[in-house]
Amino acid sequence: MDIKLEKIDDYRWLIPRSGDMRVPGLIFSSSELIAAVKEDQSLVQVRNVATLPGIVNYALAMPDIHWGYGFPIGGVAAFDINEGVVSPGGVGYDINCGCRLMTTALYADEIRPKIRDLISALFRDIPTGVGSSGPIKLSKKDEQKVARKGAAWAVENGYGHPEDLERTEDNGTMSGANPSVLSERAVKRGADQLGTLGSGNHFLEIQVVEKIYDKEVADTFGLFEGQLTVFIHSGSRGFGHQICDDFLKEMTRHMEKFSLPDRQLACTAISSDLGQRYLAAMACAANYAWANRQILMHWTRETFMKTLSISPRELQMQLLYDVCHNIAKLEEHTINGKKVKLCVHRKGATRALPKGHKLLPDVYHHVGQPVLIPGDMGTESYVLVGSDAALEQTFGSTCHGAGRVLSRSQAIKRAKGRSINRELEDKGIIVQSRGKKTLKEEMPEAYKDVSQVVDVVHCAGLATKVARLRPLGAIKG
Amino acid sequence: MEANKPDFQLLNHTADLGMIVRGKDLQDLFVSGAKALVQLMVKPEKPTPMQEVPISVDGQDLTDVFIRWLGEILYLFEGDGLIFHDIMQFKLTDSTWLEAVVFAAPFNPNNDEIIHEIKAVTYHQAYINCTQVGWEARVIFDI
């Protein structure tokens, strides 16, 4: 399908409304990045999202947009809560896949000789890989508590500190969770996967703060040049995958009212019983993911202290922030001067609130929300801060990562005859992975240049750069 | 095609894994799809004692039944720790109702090599077509 694309300015591209589109599409990109976007089918997916009932303003895409299933990855769409729909495909299977960044009191230069030991210890202590299960075995009752309380359950059970919660989006607990709507399959899959990293693009990375762009905000975030940091990317594991699958399949049976260009866009009215049940189940998965990342952080703290033989005071591993990037949230936004309640779907997109926003924790109220953008394992990640422009243009959203540019089979072909592990070591990056193909499929060339992606959101004003982080070592599934 | 090997090819999909799978008839297509999915997930080291597992799915059309069938094979692995090996009984009614009994073997994490974590079988761009030589389906997995 040929998609008409009009350049608005250096960073915004419009898909004009046509056919059954209810709103136009708006893509944040650059001349360099948009070329790759035109190569895959993500623009068609933006167009398809624009046909959904109750969509408000635009079907949006962030600069890391790439071809997903149903919604594009990097997609944002907001729906009127009275007339609009909720779509599990607009959230994704890995509900509340997200990132958390921890700061330390350590200088990377001092720890560099121990990075290999740290990576080996983390690889030993953090369950990784396909279908991995961890040492936590949840009873049905405890699993329900995790689903209701999220990261708060983890802290109550000794995994971390109460102050971690205020530095987590929604304090690590999404309201409205109701475990009684979950299938037996979801409960079964969630019983032994809490505290596991997973596989694919999920990772735990040791990094160094290479450059500070905004000292005032960086000071508030607790970041300084040369500092050692730890970045975790994981989600709700099989528990979330099952919940998405259960509800998507149920919604495909109730699609008579909607004529959809792609069955994967299956949706239902937000206000319907099915819509409300999905949101209650999705909140359970969101909470599971926040508990998961909280536990992973706790074990990371323990492993660092044990491996380096240092105290909590010497380590000072503190949570900077935890953000989700696969979620649907009921939020209040201003449309044409009026405050309205919307269901904002972010699939591969990060919330980015400006300073002064009522949902920000006190500690960041005067600077804005930290935005965490991981790159690939060979290049840098970024910390940004939310802005007013995001609230005005993208329902307070920005990008979530670099975004893939090569398929997995293309990446494996490109990696043939090469040792990705050795290439990374040559760049000073120690990596251990569980799956034989993981490093090849996740090689740096498989991703867009995260700097270009971040430059677009920075220049478009959706979020502004605070710091750049360079990887020193990583574990992957 | 080598006997018992699924007839499929991978598609280039930026984020996920897609495949075109073929079968000489519908039963063959469904079995090939299941074997191809297993091949993408896990490489069992050696045959282990098999279990018989009943599977039934209902869908709105043939494509829906196929997606739900593959979803059952995925859950068999992810939820029950069983690897699909072959089919024992297969009955498809009105392109909307499938009853089958499959042979499956327990996953052994110490010996079986894991390949990919497949999160789900998606409906995105899925189809089943009757061709001049049999049947063909396309499916994209979330990975």
Side-chain angles (χ1 to χ4, degrees):
Chain A
M1 189 187 294
D2 204 21
I3 299 289
K4 190 178 174 190
L5 196 60
E6 294 175 358
K7 185 173 179 178
I8 299 173
D9 55 32
D10 285 348
Y11 303 107
R12 294 186 304 162
W13 306 73
L14 185 81
I15 300 176
R17 192 177 160 193
S18 66
D20 50 1
M21 290 171 74
R22 295 168 194 262
V23 293
L26 182 62
I27 295 119
F28 288 82
S29 192
S30 63
S31 297
E32 292 79 20
L33 292 171
I34 202 75
V37 176
K38 288 177 183 169
E39 294 294 308
D40 69 20
Q41 298 181 44
S42 46
L43 294 178
V44 175
Q45 294 186 311
V46 174
R47 186 212 163 280
N48 289 347
V49 172
T51 68
L52 294 176
I55 188 166
V56 174
N57 280 4
Y58 294 100
L60 294 159
M62 300 297 114
D64 48 343
I65 178 177
H66 56 285
W67 183 18
Y69 45 84
F71 281 57
I73 297 166
V76 177
F79 298 85
D80 182 280
I81 60 159
N82 297 312
E83 296 168 13
V85 293
V86 61
S87 172
V91 173
Y93 287 93
D94 197 359
I95 297 165
N96 189 4
C97 183
C99 299
R100 75 171 39 199
L101 178 65
M102 294 98 82
T103 58
T104 71
L106 307 175
Y107 280 89
D109 279 349
E110 293 169 4
I111 305 301
R112 199 176 297 271
K114 302 267 182 68
I115 293 293
R116 192 178 295 276
D117 291 344
L118 277 169
I119 290 299
S120 294
L122 288 164
F123 196 62
R124 179 195 64 215
D125 296 345
I126 307 280
T128 59
V130 178
S132 52
S133 58
I136 299 173
K137 308 295 177 199
L138 294 170
S139 65
K140 192 172 176 182
K141 201 173 162 189
D142 279 340
E143 193 174 341
Q144 288 179 345
K145 287 181 186 169
V146 172
R148 283 188 192 281
K149 294 183 171 182
W153 178 90
V155 171
E156 283 171 16
N157 284 270
Y159 302 100
H161 314 303
E163 57 268 31
D164 296 336
L165 300 179
E166 70 167 353
R167 293 170 183 238
T168 304
E169 183 171 340
D170 289 351
N171 295 313
T173 306
M174 184 175 246
S175 61
N178 181 359
S180 73
V181 303
L182 302 177
S183 69
E184 282 182 24
R185 286 185 170 189
V187 173
K188 184 176 177 182
R189 291 181 70 177
D192 66 353
Q193 291 202 332
L194 195 64
T196 64
L197 190 65
S199 65
N201 62 1
H202 292 157
F203 64 81
L204 186 155
E205 196 166 278
I206 301 175
Q207 306 167 324
V208 55
V209 179
E210 190 172 55
K211 185 173 174 60
I212 296 288
Y213 297 95
D214 185 330
K215 183 156 186 329
E216 186 191 340
V217 178
D219 284 347
T220 302
F221 288 175
L223 292 167
F224 55 87
E225 282 183 8
Q227 180 185 28
L228 194 93
T229 57
V230 179
F231 205 113
I232 293 174
H233 177 219
S234 187
S236 51
R237 312 290 295 111
F239 183 70
H241 310 167
Q242 190 65 47
I243 288 170
C244 179
D245 201 52
D246 289 341
F247 281 90
L248 200 131
K249 288 203 163 77
E250 191 173 346
M251 287 186 199
T252 61
R253 296 188 194 280
H254 297 84
M255 294 309 302
E256 312 83 38
K257 282 195 287 183
F258 311 117
S259 172
L260 295 178
D262 183 347
R263 208 179 236 170
Q264 193 67 26
L265 293 171
C267 54
T268 192
I270 296 163
S271 55
S272 67
D273 171 66
L274 180 54
Q276 291 297 303
R277 279 192 289 118
Y278 169 68
L279 287 170
M282 184 206 68
C284 292
N287 290 336
Y288 190 97
W290 273 316
N292 191 38
R293 292 196 289 273
Q294 178 69 29
I295 292 165
L296 294 174
M297 178 177 76
H298 176 72
W299 287 337
T300 302
R301 280 175 172 148
E302 289 187 333
T303 299
F304 262 72
M305 288 189 289
K306 202 163 47 185
T307 307
L308 301 176
S309 299
I310 56 175
S311 66
R313 183 181 286 271
E314 288 168 301
L315 176 61
Q316 287 185 45
M317 187 176 279
Q318 292 184 341
L319 180 58
L320 191 157
Y321 204 59
D322 180 304
V323 284
C324 59
H325 50 231
N326 279 2
I327 201 78
K329 297 179 89 169
L330 301 178
E331 298 176 352
E332 193 175 77
H333 288 274
T334 304
I335 306 291
N336 300 325
K338 279 187 185 170
K339 285 194 172 174
V340 290
K341 225 172 178 190
L342 303 172
C343 182
V344 181
H345 292 58
R346 296 189 182 94
K347 183 182 180 186
T350 307
R351 193 185 73 173
L353 298 177
K355 63 182 173 187
H357 197 282
K358 64 183 180 184
L359 293 180
L360 286 175
D362 290 346
V363 65
Y364 298 138
H365 199 260
H366 64 294
V367 289
Q369 181 207 301
V371 174
L372 313 175
I373 309 299
D376 62 77
M377 60 188 164
T379 52
E380 56 268 7
S381 298
Y382 284 85
V383 180
L384 295 90
V385 66
S387 75
D388 287 315
L391 215 49
E392 290 156 11
Q393 297 184 55
T394 59
F395 306 105
S397 313
T398 187
C399 64
H400 86 307
R404 286 191 75 93
V405 72
L406 293 182
S407 71
R408 283 170 170 80
S409 48
Q410 285 171 326
I412 285 175
K413 211 175 282 179
R414 190 82 63 94
K416 200 173 178 187
R418 293 164 54 185
S419 167
I420 302 302
N421 212 321
R422 194 176 312 133
E423 288 179 19
L424 289 167
E425 286 214 17
D426 288 345
K427 292 166 82 175
I429 305 162
I430 312 294
V431 180
Q432 286 198 34
S433 65
R434 192 74 58 192
K436 281 187 180 173
K437 289 183 175 176
T438 304
L439 283 193
K440 289 180 177 176
E441 291 182 345
E442 293 293 316
M443 65 195 286
E445 291 147 77
Y447 286 86
K448 293 176 189 174
D449 180 348
V450 69
S451 300
Q452 287 185 11
V453 171
V454 165
D455 280 347
V456 171
V457 300
H458 179 86
C459 294
L462 300 181
T464 54
K465 288 193 268 191
V466 176
R468 188 175 73 219
L469 318 171
R470 187 164 46 80
L472 298 174
I475 64 167
K476 292 184 70 72
Chain B
M1 280 302 300
E2 198 179 324
N4 293 323
K5 290 257 184 179
D7 180 3
F8 77 102
Q9 67 187 78
L10 291 180
L11 296 171
N12 276 331
H13 185 284
T14 321
D16 300 305
L17 264 182
M19 70 173 184
I20 300 276
V21 60
R22 298 177 189 87
K24 61 182 187 297
D25 53 32
L26 277 175
Q27 177 172 329
D28 194 36
L29 178 76
F30 276 62
V31 173
S32 272
K35 286 184 174 176
L37 170 57
V38 166
Q39 204 167 303
L40 293 173
M41 292 192 294
V42 60
K43 188 178 176 187
E45 192 181 58
K46 56 188 175 186
T48 48
M50 297 287 176
Q51 298 177 21
E52 291 175 18
V53 183
I55 290 177
S56 61
V57 291
D58 69 314
Q60 293 167 299
D61 51 41
L62 196 52
T63 303
D64 192 19
V65 172
F66 187 65
I67 296 298
R68 288 171 191 264
W69 156 254
L70 293 180
E72 291 299 308
I73 302 302
L74 175 61
Y75 179 79
L76 200 60
F77 180 63
E78 290 285 346
D80 294 333
L82 294 171
I83 303 170
F84 169 90
H85 274 256
D86 216 329
I87 205 150
M88 188 185 168
Q89 290 174 23
F90 182 93
K91 187 183 176 196
L92 184 63
T93 308
D94 297 334
S95 297
T96 58
W97 175 248
L98 171 66
E99 286 175 283
V101 177
V102 305
F103 289 122
F107 169 64
N108 182 342
N110 298 319
N111 294 325
D112 300 338
E113 183 192 335
I114 47 180
I115 310 290
H116 287 113
E117 181 169 57
I118 291 184
K119 293 174 189 162
V121 186
T122 80
Y123 288 98
H124 180 55
Q125 296 189 339
Y127 69 73
I128 289 187
N129 283 339
C130 185
T131 68
Q132 288 184 330
V133 290
W135 290 83
E136 179 181 283
R138 176 170 65 189
V139 62
I140 291 171
F141 303 108
D142 181 20
I143 182 168

